[in-house]
Amino acid sequence: MASSLHIYVDYLSQPCRSVGMLCRAINAPYKEHITKLLKGEQKAPEFLTINPLGKVPSVKDGNTVINESCSAMRYIATKYDTSGKWYPNDLDIRVKVDEYLDWQHANTRRHGAGYFYNKIIAPMRTKQPINMSVVNEHEKELARVEKEFVEYFLASKPFIVGDHLTIADLAAAAEFEQPLIGGYDLSQAVRDYLKTVKAEMGPVYDDLLKDIKSMLKA
Amino acid sequence: MASSLHIYVDYLSQPCRSVGMLCRAINAPYKEHITKLLKGEQKAPEFLTINPLGKVPSVKDGNTVINESCSAMRYIATKYDTSGKWYPNDLDIRVKVDEYLDWQHANTRRHGAGYFYNKIIAPMRTKQPINMSVVNEHEKELARVEKEFVEYFLASKPFIVGDHLTIADLAAAAEFEQPLIGGYDLSQAVRDYLKTVKAEMGPVYDDLLKDIKSMLKA
């Protein structure tokens, strides 16, 4: 059967890694299109016909186009995950997946990506020194984010909903890895959580981190 | 039947208005608990037992606690909306509701709330002059947000999914009203959209805006 599920991604990007990780984990019948951020391919006219917002990930399935990663994961899990585990149908469990996904936008993602961008990407692009006051602000917020994540969302459970991975953990792991790779000193509790997610995911976990790690070594 | 659905809200807050608006629109069997932000009640010990993150809205339904407004709306609509319109079950329509809700965190909400906070709340609290460079940055971003909202999310339709209101429109309307009330010059297209949402919602729309409008007059 020809695949109708197309994902446009660059694995330098955290939300692209979440979507790619899910597709691999559930063995979805997807076709991957690498859209190189560093070459500006997400702003190219042909890509803008898919996502006028000029961002990745973008997901196309038949006539349905999804230009937000959390929405894309909800959709892909609902349609293609036969185990029903990744985005559980039970409303009381599902709402805890949603709660983390909604919370992370202004927390894990905002400050993890903000830290990485200002510490690594901005100086590379502008050839200017790092703006340390902005980096320090993100560091301070990340410490709060880690605390709230560990105490409220994990609350002594191995994963966000309890004993198994969901799309919320894929988002959390992808976003926490980024500042860690950029040199942020993550707490031991969050490092332990990442280790648990990685053990559960298997080789795909490191595989999707290869691009960002080799970019930093270059 | 005694209601098990409790909502903790202050209608000065945009996400509280979205949740309150939904409960009223679908006639959910809810009990409202006003938690006064200006009195710091969201940080009081008894409230922190409900939401340790110290924020409103908070929603409690039996043993399920939800501390994110978009997740709360998904849950409440799924459980209590008999029309099935507010968070449609059809996956292709539902994902467009999700897409807006995911997008708005870093866009409509971030810059609408950022504009309002820095222009109105911060000077009230600190008795310092408005930080115009921060306000101007939010204004610039809001202009982009409006353009993307009108061109991508509305795309000539009256509402986000087409011909009827969903929880995505409740979030959009609540967040766009805030900078408008704070003096931001919204585009005619977004003003027209708000008028359409208000006409569809009826008197509850203005009713939930009363608190924030009278705070600014005081």
Side-chain angles (χ1 to χ4, degrees), chain A residues 51-53 64-68 70-72 74-75 78-79 87 91-92 94-96 98-99 101-103 105 110 148 152-153, chain B residues 51-53 64-68 70-72 74-75 78-79 87 91-92 94-96 98-99 101-103 105 110 148 152-153:
Chain A
N51 183 3
L53 303 174
T64 298
V65 175
I66 314 158
N67 289 317
E68 280 289 330
C70 298
S71 307
R74 288 186 183 95
Y75 174 96
T78 303
K79 187 158 174 183
Y87 188 45
L91 188 57
D92 294 318
R94 167 170 292 208
V95 77
K96 300 315 277 186
D98 285 333
E99 186 185 50
L101 292 178
D102 282 327
W103 179 80
H105 290 285
R110 177 164 172 186
E148 294 186 355
Y152 179 75
F153 290 98
Chain B
N51 183 3
L53 303 174
T64 297
V65 175
I66 314 157
N67 289 317
E68 279 290 330
C70 299
S71 306
R74 288 187 183 94
Y75 175 96
T78 302
K79 187 159 175 184
Y87 188 45
L91 188 58
D92 294 318
R94 166 169 293 209
V95 77
K96 299 316 276 186
D98 285 333
E99 186 185 49
L101 292 177
D102 283 327
W103 180 79
H105 290 284
R110 176 164 174 187
E148 295 185 356
Y152 179 73
F153 289 97

Side-chain angles (χ1 to χ4, degrees), chain A residues 142-161:
Chain A
L142 273 174
R144 173 191 58 76
V145 164
E146 289 190 86
K147 189 174 183 298
E148 294 186 355
F149 179 71
V150 170
E151 293 178 4
Y152 179 75
F153 290 98
L154 286 185
S156 304
K157 309 180 301 296
F159 303 112
I160 291 167
V161 304

